Amino acid sequence: MDAIKLIVSEDDELNRLDKFIAGVYEDITRSQLKYYFDEDKIKVNNKIVKPSYPVQIGDEIIIEERNNRNNYLDAEDIPLDILYEDDDIIVINKKSGMVVHPAPGHYEGTLVNALLFHCSSLSDLGGGSRSGIVHRIDKDTSGLLVACKNNKAHRFLADQFKNKNDIERYYYAIVSGVIPHNLGKINAPIGRDPNNRQKQAVVSGGKEAITHFEVLERFHNHTLIKCRLETGRTHQIRVHMAYIGYPVLNDPLYGIKKQTTEFGQYLHAKTLGFIHPTTLQKMSFDSELPIEFQEKLEELRNN
């Protein structure tokens, strides 16, 4: 039976095992994880351990599927918006609502499933469930993401993301409230919310997190901003904007309230730049805002 494999890296937040897995797979609940532990479906370095096991850098975590499926990583013919592709990398404009990689209980319809169908090979440094994946964006965030077809390219790009060397990331967001100043920098550490494990928060002792933003357009009760990330923490823009009182519109986790639309939060990874792993040339990609995002902007301009 196939299984999900995770390798604990230097970039991961070290914690007890159950909290670590829950941090990687935000859609799985603690009660769901309990069933995996009760059935000895989770092993660390090929040994059965308790949920309280403290993970260490280099640990290999195996999560076996609980049902009788023979292959949790099915290649699926899912349309992809591909901006660029060669023998090393593929750049995709991910739609809102698509999960980047499979997680326990969620094995279909992800970007990895689509990549497995489209690409003849993908890197495997992140484990089978994260084939090709160097970095992630949230399920309900749309926009640009680069995946790798081989381990050499993966290592090269992973080093860029880790050290912030030559990585260029710009996001567009619609936030609630009217921001009075044109430019801003948020330097506030982010970690797990002590009151809600499904959320991140600005906390003392959290990891360094820096977000720059620029106001592009103001509306009656909202603002369109452009954000630049210096760091890449989980939910960073969503947490930071909520922290200063201007949460991303339609954000069900950090926003004022869930709006009456099926579209996710109005946050789009618009620009992505990096050094190519083979040519060593700087590459930069820009993407169109989703139609739902554009329609919301027109609605705000007309109100």
Side-chain angles (χ1 to χ4, degrees):
M1 179 186 297
D2 289 314
I4 287 178
K5 181 176 75 171
L6 302 175
I7 304 295
V8 181
S9 73
E10 294 180 359
D11 293 333
D12 289 319
E13 182 177 357
L14 303 184
N15 213 324
R16 52 183 281 162
L17 181 58
D18 55 354
K19 290 185 178 181
F20 175 82
I21 296 174
V24 173
Y25 298 122
E26 297 160 9
D27 293 334
I28 189 170
T29 66
R30 191 73 65 82
S31 59
Q32 288 174 326
L33 265 181
K34 183 178 183 299
Y35 291 115
Y36 285 86
F37 280 107
D38 289 346
E39 297 173 13
D40 295 334
K41 296 296 185 181
I42 297 178
K43 297 179 181 179
V44 177
N45 303 326
N46 207 32
K47 296 180 180 179
I48 296 172
V49 296
K50 295 180 179 180
S52 59
Y53 169 84
V55 300
Q56 304 293 323
I57 294 173
D59 278 348
E60 181 183 82
I61 301 169
I62 300 295
I63 307 173
E64 296 178 352
E65 176 58 299
R66 294 179 57 233
N67 59 31
N68 293 323
R69 292 184 59 170
N70 291 324
N71 187 0
Y72 76 96
L73 274 181
D74 295 324
E76 298 181 50
D77 187 6
I78 302 171
L80 291 173
D81 182 6
I82 300 171
L83 274 68
Y84 176 84
E85 182 177 9
D86 61 24
D87 291 339
D88 295 303
I89 61 172
I90 179 170
V91 178
I92 304 103
N93 184 17
K94 185 187 82 69
K95 65 180 181 180
S96 174
M98 174 180 271
V99 175
V100 170
H101 57 75
H106 193 159
Y107 296 99
E108 299 174 346
T110 74
L111 177 61
V112 168
N113 293 111
L115 288 173
L116 286 170
F117 182 90
H118 179 82
C119 302
S120 58
S121 66
L122 291 170
S123 65
D124 60 5
L125 293 182
S129 66
R130 294 198 237 184
S131 297
I133 302 302
V134 181
H135 66 117
R136 296 182 296 168
I137 54 179
D138 299 335
K139 171 188 174 184
D140 290 326
T141 297
S142 56
L144 296 182
L145 185 147
V146 58
C148 293
K149 294 185 176 182
N150 56 68
N151 290 347
K152 175 179 174 292
H154 190 130
R155 291 189 186 95
F156 188 90
L157 284 177
D159 183 67
Q160 288 186 61
F161 277 98
K162 176 183 177 181
N163 298 310
K164 313 177 195 63
N165 296 334
D166 302 304
I167 291 294
E168 180 184 41
R169 285 180 291 175
Y170 290 99
Y171 289 71
Y172 276 30
I174 302 173
V175 299
S176 297
V178 181
I179 301 176
H181 40 284
N182 293 331
L183 298 172
K185 175 182 178 180
I186 308 168
N187 186 347
I190 290 178
R192 181 71 58 185
D193 189 328
N195 300 314
N196 184 344
R197 69 160 199 84
Q198 292 185 324
K199 298 176 67 175
Q200 302 291 311
V202 172
V203 295
S204 176
K207 291 187 176 182
E208 180 187 37
I210 301 174
T211 303
H212 301 263
F213 69 86
E214 173 187 356
V215 169
L216 299 179
E217 192 171 355
R218 295 182 177 91
F219 309 103
H220 183 62
N221 289 313
H222 300 86
T223 308
L224 174 66
I225 61 173
K226 178 181 179 180
C227 297
R228 177 174 67 85
L229 296 180
E230 263 192 53
T231 55
R233 307 306 174 203
T234 301
H235 300 171
Q236 180 171 316
I237 293 174
R238 299 163 65 190
V239 172
H240 272 172
M241 296 312 299
Y243 176 68
I244 66 171
Y246 301 99
V248 176
L249 180 63
N250 210 40
D251 189 332
L253 199 56
Y254 303 98
I256 297 173
K257 63 178 182 178
K258 176 70 176 177
Q259 307 297 310
T260 55
T261 173
E262 294 182 359
F263 188 70
Q265 60 260 7
Y266 288 91
L267 179 60
H268 178 74
K270 194 171 191 301
T271 303
L272 176 64
F274 52 86
I275 302 297
H276 191 279
T278 298
T279 68
L280 303 182
Q281 297 297 308
K282 181 64 181 289
M283 307 191 77
S284 186
F285 301 91
D286 190 65
S287 59
E288 293 290 332
L289 295 172
I291 185 64
E292 295 89 346
F293 201 119
Q294 297 181 45
E295 290 174 346
K296 175 57 70 173
L297 288 175
E298 285 304 309
E299 177 187 322
L300 295 174
R301 290 175 180 132
N302 293 328
N303 287 339

Coordinates of all heavy atoms in Angstrom, one line a residue, residues 203-273:
V203 N 2.5 36.0 17.3 CA 2.8 35.6 18.7 C 4.2 35.8 19.1 O 5.1 35.8 18.2 CB 2.5 34.0 18.8 CG1 1.0 33.7 18.6 CG2 3.3 33.2 17.8
S204 N 4.4 36.0 20.4 CA 5.7 36.2 20.9 C 6.5 34.9 20.7 O 6.0 33.8 21.0 CB 5.7 36.6 22.4 OG 7.0 36.6 22.9
G205 N 7.7 34.9 20.2 CA 8.5 33.7 20.0 C 8.2 33.0 18.6 O 8.7 32.0 18.3
G206 N 7.3 33.6 17.8 CA 7.0 33.1 16.5 C 8.2 33.3 15.5 O 9.2 33.9 15.9
K207 N 8.0 32.7 14.3 CA 9.1 32.9 13.3 C 9.0 34.3 12.7 O 7.9 34.8 12.5 CB 8.9 31.8 12.2 CG 9.3 30.4 12.7 CD 9.3 29.4 11.6 CE 9.7 28.0 12.1 NZ 9.8 27.1 10.9
E208 N 10.1 34.8 12.3 CA 10.2 36.1 11.7 C 9.3 36.1 10.5 O 9.3 35.2 9.6 CB 11.6 36.5 11.3 CG 11.7 37.8 10.6 CD 13.1 38.1 10.0 OE1 13.7 37.1 9.5 OE2 13.6 39.2 10.1
A209 N 8.5 37.2 10.3 CA 7.6 37.3 9.2 C 7.5 38.8 8.8 O 7.2 39.7 9.6 CB 6.2 36.8 9.5
I210 N 7.8 39.1 7.5 CA 7.8 40.5 7.1 C 7.0 40.6 5.8 O 7.3 39.9 4.8 CB 9.3 41.0 6.8 CG1 10.1 40.9 8.1 CG2 9.3 42.4 6.3 CD1 11.6 41.2 7.9
T211 N 6.1 41.5 5.8 CA 5.2 41.7 4.6 C 5.2 43.2 4.3 O 5.0 44.1 5.2 CB 3.8 41.3 4.9 OG1 3.7 40.0 5.2 CG2 2.9 41.5 3.6
H212 N 5.5 43.6 3.0 CA 5.4 45.0 2.5 C 4.1 45.1 1.7 O 3.8 44.2 1.0 CB 6.6 45.3 1.7 CG 7.9 45.1 2.3 ND1 8.6 46.2 2.9 CD2 8.7 44.1 2.6 CE1 9.7 45.8 3.4 NE2 9.8 44.5 3.2
F213 N 3.5 46.2 1.8 CA 2.3 46.4 1.0 C 2.2 47.8 0.5 O 2.8 48.8 1.0 CB 1.0 46.1 1.8 CG 0.6 47.0 2.9 CD1 -0.1 48.2 2.6 CD2 1.0 46.7 4.2 CE1 -0.4 49.0 3.7 CE2 0.7 47.5 5.2 CZ 0.0 48.7 5.0
E214 N 1.5 48.0 -0.7 CA 1.3 49.2 -1.4 C -0.1 49.3 -1.8 O -0.7 48.4 -2.3 CB 2.2 49.3 -2.6 CG 2.0 50.5 -3.5 CD 2.7 50.4 -4.8 OE1 3.5 49.4 -5.0 OE2 2.6 51.3 -5.7
V215 N -0.7 50.5 -1.5 CA -2.1 50.7 -1.8 C -2.2 51.0 -3.3 O -1.5 51.9 -3.8 CB -2.8 51.8 -1.0 CG1 -4.1 52.2 -1.6 CG2 -2.9 51.4 0.4
L216 N -3.0 50.2 -4.0 CA -3.2 50.5 -5.5 C -4.5 51.2 -5.8 O -4.6 52.0 -6.7 CB -3.2 49.1 -6.2 CG -2.0 48.3 -6.1 CD1 -2.1 47.0 -6.9 CD2 -0.7 49.0 -6.6
E217 N -5.5 51.0 -5.0 CA -6.8 51.6 -5.3 C -7.7 51.5 -4.0 O -7.7 50.5 -3.3 CB -7.5 50.9 -6.4 CG -8.8 51.6 -7.0 CD -9.3 51.0 -8.2 OE1 -8.6 50.0 -8.7 OE2 -10.3 51.4 -8.7
R218 N -8.4 52.6 -3.7 CA -9.3 52.7 -2.6 C -10.7 52.7 -3.0 O -11.1 53.4 -4.0 CB -9.0 53.9 -1.7 CG -7.6 53.9 -1.0 CD -7.3 55.1 -0.1 NE -6.1 55.0 0.5 CZ -4.9 55.5 0.0 NH1 -5.0 56.1 -1.2 NH2 -3.8 55.4 0.7
F219 N -11.6 52.1 -2.2 CA -13.0 52.1 -2.5 C -13.8 52.6 -1.3 O -13.1 53.1 -0.4 CB -13.5 50.7 -2.9 CG -12.6 50.0 -3.9 CD1 -11.7 49.0 -3.6 CD2 -12.8 50.4 -5.3 CE1 -10.9 48.5 -4.5 CE2 -12.0 49.8 -6.2 CZ -11.0 48.8 -5.9
H220 N -15.1 52.5 -1.3 CA -15.9 53.1 -0.2 C -15.5 52.4 1.1 O -15.3 53.1 2.2 CB -17.4 52.9 -0.5 CG -18.2 53.5 0.6 ND1 -18.2 54.8 0.8 CD2 -19.1 52.9 1.4 CE1 -19.1 55.1 1.8 NE2 -19.7 53.9 2.2
N221 N -15.4 51.1 1.1 CA -15.2 50.3 2.4 C -14.0 49.3 2.2 O -13.9 48.5 3.1 CB -16.4 49.6 2.9 CG -17.4 50.6 3.4 OD1 -17.1 51.5 4.2 ND2 -18.7 50.4 3.0
H222 N -13.3 49.3 1.1 CA -12.3 48.3 0.8 C -11.1 49.0 0.2 O -11.1 50.1 -0.3 CB -12.8 47.2 -0.1 CG -14.0 46.5 0.5 ND1 -15.3 46.9 0.4 CD2 -14.1 45.4 1.3 CE1 -16.1 46.1 1.0 NE2 -15.4 45.1 1.5
T223 N -10.0 48.2 0.1 CA -8.7 48.7 -0.5 C -8.1 47.6 -1.3 O -8.1 46.4 -0.8 CB -7.7 49.1 0.6 OG1 -8.4 50.1 1.5 CG2 -6.5 49.8 0.0
L224 N -7.6 47.9 -2.5 CA -6.8 47.0 -3.3 C -5.4 47.2 -3.0 O -4.9 48.4 -3.1 CB -7.1 47.1 -4.8 CG -6.2 46.3 -5.7 CD1 -6.5 44.8 -5.6 CD2 -6.5 46.8 -7.2
I225 N -4.6 46.2 -2.6 CA -3.2 46.3 -2.2 C -2.4 45.3 -3.0 O -2.8 44.3 -3.5 CB -3.0 46.2 -0.7 CG1 -3.4 44.8 -0.3 CG2 -3.7 47.2 0.1 CD1 -3.0 44.5 1.2
K226 N -1.1 45.7 -3.1 CA -0.1 44.8 -3.7 C 0.9 44.5 -2.5 O 1.4 45.4 -1.9 CB 0.7 45.5 -4.8 CG 1.8 44.7 -5.5 CD 2.4 45.6 -6.6 CE 3.6 44.9 -7.2 NZ 4.2 45.7 -8.3
C227 N 1.1 43.2 -2.3 CA 2.0 42.8 -1.2 C 3.3 42.1 -1.7 O 3.2 41.4 -2.7 CB 1.3 41.8 -0.3 SG -0.2 42.4 0.5
R228 N 4.4 42.4 -1.1 CA 5.6 41.7 -1.3 C 6.1 41.0 -0.1 O 6.1 41.5 1.0 CB 6.7 42.7 -1.8 CG 8.1 42.0 -2.0 CD 9.1 43.0 -2.6 NE 9.4 44.1 -1.6 CZ 10.4 43.9 -0.7 NH1 11.1 42.8 -0.6 NH2 10.7 44.9 0.1
L229 N 6.4 39.7 -0.3 CA 6.8 38.9 0.9 C 8.3 38.8 1.0 O 9.0 38.5 0.0 CB 6.3 37.4 0.7 CG 4.8 37.2 0.7 CD1 4.4 35.7 0.5 CD2 4.2 37.7 2.0
E230 N 8.8 39.1 2.2 CA 10.2 38.9 2.5 C 10.4 37.5 3.1 O 11.5 36.9 2.9 CB 10.7 39.9 3.5 CG 11.4 41.1 2.9 CD 12.1 42.0 3.9 OE1 12.9 41.4 4.7 OE2 11.9 43.2 4.0
T231 N 9.4 37.0 3.7 CA 9.4 35.6 4.3 C 8.2 34.9 3.8 O 7.3 35.5 3.1 CB 9.4 35.7 5.8 OG1 8.2 36.5 6.2 CG2 10.6 36.4 6.4
G232 N 8.1 33.6 4.0 CA 7.0 32.8 3.5 C 6.3 32.0 4.6 O 6.3 30.7 4.5
R233 N 5.8 32.6 5.6 CA 5.1 31.9 6.6 C 3.7 31.4 6.2 O 3.1 32.1 5.4 CB 5.0 32.7 7.9 CG 6.4 33.2 8.4 CD 7.4 32.1 8.5 NE 8.7 32.7 8.9 CZ 9.8 32.1 8.6 NH1 9.9 30.9 8.0 NH2 11.0 32.6 8.9
T234 N 3.2 30.4 6.8 CA 1.8 29.9 6.6 C 0.8 31.0 6.8 O 0.8 31.7 7.9 CB 1.5 28.7 7.4 OG1 2.4 27.7 7.2 CG2 0.1 28.2 7.2
H235 N 0.0 31.3 5.8 CA -1.1 32.3 5.9 C -0.5 33.7 6.2 O -1.3 34.6 6.7 CB -2.1 32.0 7.0 CG -2.8 30.7 6.8 ND1 -3.6 30.1 7.8 CD2 -2.8 29.8 5.8 CE1 -4.1 29.0 7.4 NE2 -3.6 28.7 6.2
Q236 N 0.7 34.0 5.8 CA 1.4 35.2 6.2 C 0.6 36.5 5.9 O 0.3 37.3 6.8 CB 2.8 35.3 5.6 CG 3.5 36.6 6.0 CD 5.0 36.6 5.6 OE1 5.6 35.6 5.7 NE2 5.4 37.7 5.0
I237 N 0.2 36.7 4.6 CA -0.5 37.9 4.3 C -1.9 38.0 5.0 O -2.3 39.0 5.6 CB -0.7 38.0 2.8 CG1 0.6 38.2 2.1 CG2 -1.7 39.2 2.4 CD1 0.5 38.1 0.5
R238 N -2.6 36.9 5.1 CA -3.9 36.9 5.8 C -3.7 37.2 7.2 O -4.6 38.0 7.8 CB -4.5 35.5 5.6 CG -4.7 35.1 4.1 CD -5.0 33.6 3.9 NE -6.2 33.2 4.6 CZ -6.6 31.9 4.7 NH1 -5.7 31.0 4.3 NH2 -7.7 31.6 5.3
V239 N -2.7 36.7 7.9 CA -2.5 36.9 9.3 C -2.1 38.4 9.5 O -2.6 39.1 10.4 CB -1.4 36.0 9.9 CG1 -1.1 36.4 11.3 CG2 -1.9 34.5 9.9
H240 N -1.1 38.8 8.8 CA -0.6 40.2 8.9 C -1.7 41.3 8.7 O -1.8 42.3 9.4 CB 0.6 40.4 8.0 CG 1.9 40.0 8.7 ND1 3.1 40.0 8.0 CD2 2.2 39.7 10.0 CE1 4.1 39.6 8.8 NE2 3.5 39.4 10.0
M241 N -2.5 41.1 7.6 CA -3.5 42.1 7.3 C -4.6 42.1 8.4 O -5.1 43.2 8.7 CB -4.0 41.9 5.9 CG -3.0 42.1 4.8 SD -2.0 43.5 4.9 CE -3.2 44.9 4.8
A242 N -4.9 41.0 8.9 CA -5.9 40.9 9.9 C -5.4 41.5 11.2 O -6.1 42.2 12.0 CB -6.4 39.5 10.2
Y243 N -4.1 41.3 11.4 CA -3.4 41.9 12.6 C -3.4 43.4 12.7 O -3.6 44.0 13.8 CB -2.0 41.4 12.6 CG -1.1 41.9 13.8 CD1 -1.3 41.5 15.1 CD2 0.0 42.7 13.5 CE1 -0.5 42.0 16.1 CE2 0.8 43.2 14.5 CZ 0.5 42.8 15.8 OH 1.3 43.3 16.8
I244 N -3.3 44.0 11.5 CA -3.3 45.5 11.5 C -4.7 46.1 11.3 O -4.9 47.3 11.1 CB -2.3 46.1 10.5 CG1 -2.8 45.7 9.1 CG2 -0.9 45.6 10.8 CD1 -1.9 46.5 8.0
G245 N -5.7 45.2 11.2 CA -7.1 45.6 11.2 C -7.7 45.7 9.8 O -8.8 46.3 9.6
Y246 N -7.0 45.2 8.8 CA -7.5 45.2 7.4 C -7.5 43.8 6.8 O -6.7 43.5 6.0 CB -6.7 46.1 6.5 CG -6.7 47.6 7.0 CD1 -5.7 48.0 7.8 CD2 -7.8 48.4 6.8 CE1 -5.7 49.3 8.3 CE2 -7.8 49.7 7.2 CZ -6.7 50.2 8.0 OH -6.7 51.5 8.5
P247 N -8.4 42.9 7.3 CA -8.3 41.5 6.8 C -8.7 41.3 5.4 O -9.4 42.2 4.8 CB -9.4 40.8 7.7 CG -10.3 41.9 8.1 CD -9.5 43.1 8.2
V248 N -8.2 40.3 4.8 CA -8.5 40.0 3.4 C -10.0 39.7 3.2 O -10.6 39.0 4.0 CB -7.6 38.8 2.9 CG1 -8.0 38.4 1.4 CG2 -6.1 39.1 2.9
L249 N -10.6 40.3 2.2 CA -12.0 40.1 2.0 C -12.3 38.7 1.7 O -11.6 38.0 0.9 CB -12.4 41.0 0.8 CG -13.9 41.0 0.4 CD1 -14.8 41.5 1.5 CD2 -14.1 41.7 -0.9
N250 N -13.4 38.2 2.3 CA -13.9 36.9 2.0 C -13.1 35.8 2.7 O -13.2 34.6 2.3 CB -14.1 36.6 0.5 CG -15.2 35.6 0.3 OD1 -16.3 35.7 0.9 ND2 -15.0 34.7 -0.7
D251 N -12.2 36.1 3.6 CA -11.4 35.2 4.3 C -12.2 34.5 5.4 O -12.5 35.2 6.4 CB -10.1 35.8 4.8 CG -9.1 34.9 5.4 OD1 -9.5 33.8 5.8 OD2 -7.9 35.2 5.4
P252 N -12.5 33.2 5.3 CA -13.3 32.6 6.3 C -12.6 32.4 7.7 O -13.3 32.2 8.7 CB -13.7 31.2 5.7 CG -12.6 31.0 4.8 CD -12.1 32.3 4.2
L253 N -11.3 32.4 7.6 CA -10.6 32.1 8.9 C -10.1 33.4 9.6 O -10.2 33.4 10.8 CB -9.3 31.3 8.5 CG -8.6 30.5 9.6 CD1 -9.6 29.5 10.3 CD2 -7.5 29.7 9.1
Y254 N -9.7 34.4 8.9 CA -9.2 35.6 9.5 C -10.0 36.8 9.2 O -9.8 37.9 9.7 CB -7.8 35.9 9.1 CG -6.8 34.7 9.3 CD1 -6.5 33.8 8.3 CD2 -6.2 34.5 10.6 CE1 -5.6 32.7 8.5 CE2 -5.4 33.5 10.8 CZ -5.1 32.6 9.8 OH -4.2 31.5 10.0
G255 N -11.0 36.7 8.3 CA -11.8 37.8 7.9 C -12.9 38.2 8.9 O -13.1 37.6 9.9
I256 N -13.6 39.3 8.5 CA -14.7 39.8 9.4 C -15.8 38.8 9.4 O -16.4 38.4 10.4 CB -15.1 41.2 8.9 CG1 -14.0 42.2 9.0 CG2 -16.4 41.6 9.6 CD1 -14.3 43.5 8.4
K257 N -16.2 38.3 8.2 CA -17.2 37.3 8.0 C -17.1 36.7 6.6 O -16.5 37.3 5.7 CB -18.6 37.8 8.3 CG -19.0 38.9 7.3 CD -20.5 39.3 7.5 CE -20.9 40.3 6.5 NZ -22.3 40.8 6.7
K258 N -17.6 35.5 6.5 CA -17.6 34.8 5.2 C -18.7 35.5 4.3 O -19.8 35.6 4.7 CB -17.9 33.3 5.4 CG -18.1 32.6 4.0 CD -16.7 32.4 3.3 CE -16.9 31.6 2.1 NZ -15.6 31.5 1.3
Q259 N -18.3 35.9 3.1 CA -19.2 36.6 2.2 C -20.1 35.5 1.5 O -19.8 34.3 1.5 CB -18.5 37.4 1.2 CG -17.5 38.4 1.8 CD -18.2 39.4 2.7 OE1 -19.1 40.0 2.2 NE2 -17.7 39.6 3.9
T260 N -21.2 36.0 0.9 CA -22.1 35.1 0.3 C -21.6 34.8 -1.2 O -22.3 35.2 -2.1 CB -23.5 35.7 0.2 OG1 -23.5 37.0 -0.4 CG2 -24.1 35.8 1.6
T261 N -20.5 34.1 -1.3 CA -20.0 33.7 -2.6 C -19.1 32.4 -2.4 O -18.6 32.2 -1.3 CB -19.1 34.8 -3.2 OG1 -18.5 34.3 -4.4 CG2 -18.0 35.3 -2.2
E262 N -19.1 31.6 -3.4 CA -18.3 30.4 -3.3 C -16.8 30.6 -3.5 O -16.0 29.8 -3.2 CB -18.8 29.3 -4.3 CG -20.2 28.8 -4.0 CD -20.6 27.8 -4.9 OE1 -19.9 27.4 -5.9 OE2 -21.8 27.3 -4.8
F263 N -16.5 31.8 -4.1 CA -15.1 32.1 -4.3 C -14.4 32.3 -3.0 O -14.9 32.8 -2.0 CB -15.0 33.4 -5.1 CG -13.6 33.7 -5.6 CD1 -13.0 33.0 -6.6 CD2 -12.9 34.8 -5.1 CE1 -11.7 33.3 -7.0 CE2 -11.6 35.1 -5.5 CZ -11.0 34.4 -6.5
G264 N -13.1 31.9 -2.9 CA -12.3 32.0 -1.7 C -11.9 33.5 -1.4 O -12.5 34.4 -1.9
Q265 N -10.9 33.6 -0.5 CA -10.5 34.9 -0.2 C -9.9 35.6 -1.4 O -9.3 35.0 -2.3 CB -9.4 34.9 0.9 CG -8.2 34.1 0.6 CD -8.2 32.7 1.2 OE1 -9.2 32.3 1.8 NE2 -7.1 32.0 1.1
Y266 N -10.0 36.9 -1.5 CA -9.6 37.7 -2.6 C -8.1 38.0 -2.4 O -7.7 39.1 -2.1 CB -10.4 39.0 -2.8 CG -11.8 38.7 -3.3 CD1 -12.8 38.5 -2.4 CD2 -12.1 38.6 -4.6 CE1 -14.1 38.2 -2.8 CE2 -13.3 38.3 -5.1 CZ -14.4 38.1 -4.2 OH -15.6 37.8 -4.7
L267 N -7.3 36.9 -2.7 CA -5.9 37.0 -2.6 C -5.3 36.2 -3.7 O -5.6 35.0 -3.9 CB -5.4 36.4 -1.2 CG -3.9 36.4 -0.9 CD1 -3.3 37.7 -0.9 CD2 -3.6 35.7 0.4
H268 N -4.4 36.8 -4.5 CA -3.9 36.2 -5.7 C -2.4 36.4 -5.8 O -1.9 37.5 -5.7 CB -4.6 36.9 -7.0 CG -4.1 36.3 -8.3 ND1 -4.4 35.1 -8.7 CD2 -3.2 36.9 -9.2 CE1 -3.8 34.9 -9.9 NE2 -3.1 36.0 -10.2
A269 N -1.7 35.3 -6.0 CA -0.2 35.3 -6.2 C 0.1 35.7 -7.6 O 0.1 34.9 -8.5 CB 0.4 34.0 -5.8
K270 N 0.2 37.0 -7.8 CA 0.2 37.6 -9.2 C 1.6 37.4 -9.9 O 1.6 37.2 -11.1 CB -0.2 39.0 -9.2 CG -0.6 39.6 -10.6 CD -1.2 40.9 -10.4 CE -1.8 41.3 -11.8 NZ -0.8 41.4 -12.9
T271 N 2.7 37.7 -9.2 CA 4.0 37.7 -9.8 C 4.9 36.7 -9.1 O 4.9 36.7 -7.9 CB 4.6 39.1 -9.8 OG1 3.7 40.0 -10.4 CG2 5.9 39.1 -10.5
L272 N 5.7 36.0 -9.9 CA 6.7 35.1 -9.3 C 8.0 35.2 -10.1 O 8.0 35.0 -11.3 CB 6.2 33.6 -9.3 CG 7.1 32.5 -8.8 CD1 7.5 32.7 -7.3 CD2 6.5 31.2 -9.1
G273 N 9.1 35.4 -9.4 CA 10.4 35.4 -10.1 C 11.4 34.6 -9.3 O 11.4 34.5 -8.1

